[in-house]
Amino acid sequence: QVQLVESGGGLVQTGGSLRLSCAASGITFSNYAMAWFRQAPGKEREFVAAIRRSGGATFYTSSVKGRFTISRDNNVNTAYLQMNSLKPEDTAVYYCAADITASGSAKTYAYWGQGTQVTVSS
């Protein structure tokens, strides 16, 4: 079965950095776009970043552009989210997602990870 396993979340101070990883299995990884979403308590899931299957094009929500970088390594079936200059408003559960086509809508993604908590203290 398809499985996306996330790691790298934790507690960090304002201005710090974290790198999230998403290891995929059960899919032909190179055929899928990958994305990251986040969800804070009481709020809807929010698009963060996406990357096309080749890794040649990336997309970001405006609030993280310039601070976060999405990447992938198709040789090891893993996607990453490098998060720099973290702010308290970045605090959320971060989810990895996969689908054939990259988009900014959570409704279009077929597969999801379990989520990993990111907490940024002030």
Side-chain angles (χ1 to χ4, degrees):
Q1 61 181 5
V2 177
Q3 190 171 35
L4 305 179
V5 180
E6 296 162 278
S7 61
L11 175 65
V12 65
Q13 293 182 332
T14 296
S17 298
L18 286 172
R19 190 191 194 196
L20 306 183
S21 297
C22 175
S25 61
I27 59 172
T28 302
F29 185 74
S30 61
N31 287 342
Y32 283 80
M34 301 296 295
W36 292 91
F37 291 79
R38 64 187 181 187
Q39 188 167 23
K43 297 183 179 180
E44 290 197 343
R45 195 162 297 186
E46 175 191 24
F47 171 76
V48 177
I51 186 167
R52 287 181 175 171
R53 65 184 74 179
S54 68
T58 57
F59 310 90
Y60 301 91
T61 191
S62 60
S63 63
V64 309
K65 192 172 184 179
R67 300 189 297 122
F68 291 10
T69 302
I70 187 171
S71 62
R72 66 190 297 158
D73 187 344
N74 287 355
N75 292 321
V76 295
N77 295 346
T78 302
Y80 306 93
L81 185 68
Q82 178 67 46
M83 303 185 293
N84 298 327
S85 301
L86 283 162
K87 306 174 182 179
E89 52 262 45
D90 295 318
T91 295
V93 176
Y94 283 71
Y95 297 90
C96 175
D99 207 278
I100 298 297
T101 303
S103 82
S105 174
K107 297 179 180 179
T108 70
Y109 285 86
Y111 305 112
W112 292 84
Q114 79 287 353
T116 185
Q117 177 70 47
V118 172
T119 302
V120 185
S121 65
S122 59

